[in-house]
């Protein structure tokens, strides 16, 4: 008997009919002889509604209480899904994150999992029940406070449970038929990718592809959990993310494999970053370290970095970096606080940027990948502000209003367009 962990996002359980459809799919797996653990997100946009409610009550809601509030959405989902499964004649037990043993640190709003002790989940499975776990939440190991894992945290919950239970596969259900070569909302001719390595999926997730959460992919790679990305609205094959062969029980029939052999696997984009430029930094050892030490102390993640020697003052330099737009105000404030000690002139903040990334393991051994991208953007009259690369990724920053055109140009330039219109978006926002 195989053990399957299934995660259903908010668009998959958006209303009563959707919950019933999900329940039928879960029961199909149970009837086929699988043990099933289900992780659910809040219904539809319920989490956003709760955030709006909190902001109406307080402009700065206490972090502990906000986390307590936001866990309500997943608790509703798990309970109604258990009811729907019971209506189909099968027993299901629902568990909050803390009941399921999701132990975290106490970083409210962005907690990290430090341990998983799913004893009650195992007991439910041993008794022949389907276990349903509220995603996105856990409990602090130090104070027993309820915590949330941040946006996309249900993905991480599912993978962590799959790893701790030694599941055969972790299925991530969303509103598209897998991982595509580009966001089908922008490129209707995008192709579904049959198989991706963890490394490729990590780069795509880090570059803005919202189909899987970055931390979930990191967890899957660390514990070698096979991921299967599928749509809850269809029974199509989806995309496998793994460095190992697909488990025989779940291996699909033979299908066309040209996409796995492509130099470029996909084109990702991100509209949620901003660029911060520290102008006129003294060009002496240690100043860059001071800047990024302040950023790190405030738990702000940075992405791309560019340093240029100032043409106006040879003794000074300009340092630009990209960061999440949500951290822009904090970064600006903390750097202004240390302006005098560092000695820079001023800051320039720009949130009207977009990041385009092309990802593919094949670029390690194929010359000309970079030239193809730059030529495509040039022909589309798209200017490049910043460039960053890794072994299997090239990222560029351009203006936000040109990002869609840049994605389409790159997708076509690498021959990723499909003749068929298979990139169907069934609903929701892709999570």
């Amino acid at each position: 008997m195989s053990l399957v962990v299934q995660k259903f996002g908010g668009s998959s359980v958006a209303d009563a009919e959707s919950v019933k459809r999900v329940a039928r799919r879960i029961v199909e797996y149970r009837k086929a002889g699988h043990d099933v653990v289900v992780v659910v997100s809040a219904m539809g946009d319920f989490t956003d509604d709760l955030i709006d409610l909190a902001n109406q009550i307080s402009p700065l809601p206490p972090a502990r209480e906000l986390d307590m509030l936001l866990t309500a959405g997943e608790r509703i989902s798990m309970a109604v899904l258990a009811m729907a499964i019971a209506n189909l004649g099968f027993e299901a037990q629902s568990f909050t994150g803390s009941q399921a043993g999701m132990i975290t640190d106490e970083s409210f709003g962005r907690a990290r999992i430090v341990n998983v002790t799913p004893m009650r989940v195992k007991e439910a499975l041993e008794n022949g029940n389907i276990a349903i776990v509220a995603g996105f939440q856990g409990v602090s190991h130090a104070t027993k406070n309820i915590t949330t894992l941040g946006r996309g945290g249900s993905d991480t919950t599912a993978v962590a449970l799959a790893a701790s239970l030694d599941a055969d596969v972790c299925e991530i259900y969303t509103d598209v038929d897998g991982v595509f070569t580009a966001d089908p909302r922008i490129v209707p001719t995008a192709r579904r990718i049959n198989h991706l390595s963890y490394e490729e999926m990590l780069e795509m997730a880090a570059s803005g592809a919202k189909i899987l959460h970055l931390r979930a992919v990191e967890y899957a790679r660390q514990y070698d959990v096979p991921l299967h990305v599928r749509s809850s609205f269809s029974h199509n094959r989806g995309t496998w993310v793994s460095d190992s062969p697909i488990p025989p029980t779940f291996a699909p029939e033979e299908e066309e494999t040209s996409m796995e052999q492509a130099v470029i696997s996909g084109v990702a984009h991100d509209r949620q970053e901003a660029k911060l430029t520290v102008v006129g930094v003294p060009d002496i050892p240690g100043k860059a370290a001071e800047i990024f030490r302040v950023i790190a102390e405030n738990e702000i993640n940075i992405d791309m970095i560019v340093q240029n020697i100032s043409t106006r003052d040879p003794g000074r330099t300009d340092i630009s970096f990209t960061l999440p737009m949500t951290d822009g105000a904090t970064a600006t404030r903390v750097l202004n606080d240390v302006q005098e000690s560092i000695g820079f002139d001023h800051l320039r903040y720009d949130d009207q940027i977009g990041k385009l990334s092309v990802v593919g393991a094949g670029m390690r051994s194929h010359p000309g990948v970079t030239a193809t991208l730059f030529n495509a953007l040039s022909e589309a009259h798209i200017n490049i502000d910043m460039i960053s690369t890794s072994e299997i990724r090239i990222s560029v920053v351009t203006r936000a209003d040109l990002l869609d055109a840049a994605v389409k140009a790159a997708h076509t330039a690498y021959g990723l367009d499909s003749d068929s219109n298979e990139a169907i978006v069934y609903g929701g926002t892709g999570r």
Side-chain angles (χ1 to χ4, degrees), residues 179 196-206 211-212 217 241:
V179 182
L196 285 166
S197 67
Y198 291 126
E199 184 181 25
E200 288 174 309
M201 193 65 243
L202 276 171
E203 291 283 14
M204 291 185 70
I211 196 71
L212 277 176
V217 184
V241 180

Side-chain angles (χ1 to χ4, degrees), residues 24-70:
R24 289 193 294 269
R25 172 159 290 197
I26 294 167
V27 167
E28 284 176 10
Y29 272 73
R30 192 68 189 87
K31 287 180 177 178
H34 303 294
D35 283 334
V36 185
V37 176
V38 180
V39 174
V40 287
S41 298
M43 299 174 69
D45 297 323
F46 193 75
T47 299
D48 291 330
D49 293 340
L50 291 175
I51 292 173
D52 291 342
L53 173 62
N55 290 332
Q56 290 172 31
I57 293 171
S58 169
L60 289 172
R64 179 188 183 279
E65 304 310 322
L66 182 61
D67 270 15
M68 183 66 79
L69 173 68
L70 296 186

Side-chain angles (χ1 to χ4, degrees), residues 202-209 214 268-276 292 295-296 299-307 319-325 327-328 331 353-359 386-390 393-398 403:
L202 276 171
E203 291 283 14
M204 291 185 70
S207 299
L214 177 61
H269 71 281
D270 193 348
R271 304 181 193 277
Q272 303 304 313
E273 291 195 357
K275 181 173 71 171
L276 187 58
F292 293 113
I295 295 296
E299 298 184 348
I300 297 171
N301 291 319
I302 60 172
D303 185 9
M304 305 166 70
I305 305 172
V306 172
Q307 180 173 348
I319 300 176
S320 297
F321 57 90
T322 59
L323 72 168
M325 200 181 296
D327 290 328
I353 65 167
K355 183 177 72 172
L356 165 74
S357 302
V358 294
V359 177
M386 302 174 73
I387 303 168
S388 174
T389 65
S390 74
R393 173 191 50 80
I394 305 169
S395 295
V396 299
V397 167
T398 185
L403 187 57

Side-chain angles (χ1 to χ4, degrees), residues 70-402:
L70 296 186
T71 59
E74 281 70 22
R75 295 182 187 217
I76 293 171
S77 294
M78 71 181 194
V80 296
L81 182 57
M83 294 174 190
I85 291 172
N87 201 45
L88 296 174
F90 284 77
E91 188 73 23
Q93 285 185 285
S94 61
F95 303 96
T96 66
S98 58
Q99 290 173 330
M102 305 302 298
I103 313 301
T104 74
D105 60 20
E106 199 164 345
S107 299
F108 294 115
R110 56 174 69 179
R112 301 191 72 86
I113 297 170
V114 297
N115 195 17
V116 183
T117 56
M119 300 309 298
R120 296 185 66 178
V121 174
K122 289 180 179 179
E123 290 174 5
L125 295 175
E126 290 168 359
N127 292 330
N129 298 328
I130 296 167
I132 305 175
V133 177
F136 174 68
Q137 60 186 256
V139 60
S140 166
H141 64 99
T143 64
K144 308 307 179 187
N145 281 323
I146 299 300
T147 58
T148 64
L149 308 181
R151 285 294 189 179
S154 293
D155 288 357
T156 309
T157 301
V159 177
L161 273 172
S164 65
L165 295 168
D166 196 24
D168 294 271
V169 63
C170 180
E171 295 193 327
I172 307 292
Y173 285 91
T174 179
D175 58 5
V176 289
D177 285 323
V179 182
F180 281 77
T181 50
D183 187 338
R185 297 163 183 80
I186 295 176
V187 184
T189 55
R191 299 172 183 258
R192 179 182 56 83
I193 305 170
N194 296 331
H195 190 276
L196 285 166
S197 67
Y198 291 126
E199 184 181 25
E200 288 174 309
M201 193 65 243
L202 276 171
E203 291 283 14
M204 291 185 70
S207 299
K210 294 180 174 58
I211 196 71
L212 277 176
H213 194 265
L214 177 61
R215 284 163 59 185
V217 184
E218 290 174 337
Y219 216 108
R221 180 172 69 169
Q222 181 178 354
Y223 293 99
D224 195 23
V225 176
L227 301 178
H228 192 191
V229 184
R230 310 183 67 182
S231 172
S232 61
F233 298 86
S234 77
H235 283 76
N236 294 334
R237 291 168 176 165
T239 299
W240 284 88
V241 180
S242 177
D243 291 340
S244 304
I246 298 171
T249 305
F250 304 95
E253 299 173 6
E254 291 297 320
E255 58 183 355
E256 194 272 324
T257 59
S258 62
M259 290 310 301
E260 284 92 274
Q261 301 165 354
V263 176
I264 297 301
S265 296
V267 180
H269 71 281
D270 193 348
R271 304 181 193 277
Q272 303 304 313
E273 291 195 357
K275 181 173 71 171
L276 187 58
T277 302
V278 188
V279 180
V281 180
D283 190 18
I284 57 178
K287 291 301 179 181
E290 290 182 48
I291 291 171
F292 293 113
R293 186 182 305 118
V294 171
I295 295 296
E297 288 172 351
N298 286 273
E299 298 184 348
I300 297 171
N301 291 319
I302 60 172
D303 185 9
M304 305 166 70
I305 305 172
V306 172
Q307 180 173 348
N308 295 313
I309 299 298
S310 174
T311 57
R312 293 175 296 177
D313 188 342
R316 292 185 174 266
T317 184
D318 299 339
I319 300 176
S320 297
F321 57 90
T322 59
L323 72 168
M325 200 181 296
T326 52
D327 290 328
T330 301
T332 302
R333 175 178 54 80
V334 298
L335 284 175
N336 277 326
D337 289 344
V338 296
Q339 178 177 3
E340 185 175 345
S341 62
I342 294 176
F344 63 85
D345 291 340
H346 61 277
L347 299 175
R348 283 204 303 260
Y349 180 74
D350 183 2
D351 60 5
Q352 297 302 306
I353 65 167
K355 183 177 72 172
L356 165 74
S357 302
V358 294
V359 177
M363 68 173 65
R364 283 194 180 104
S365 55
H366 288 76
V369 174
T370 304
T372 299
L373 174 62
F374 291 170
N375 185 65
L377 297 180
S378 173
E379 291 181 352
H381 307 290
I382 296 169
N383 199 35
I384 297 171
D385 291 345
M386 302 174 73
I387 303 168
S388 174
T389 65
S390 74
E391 280 191 319
I392 66 167
R393 173 191 50 80
I394 305 169
S395 295
V396 299
V397 167
T398 185
R399 305 313 303 162
D401 58 352
L402 298 176

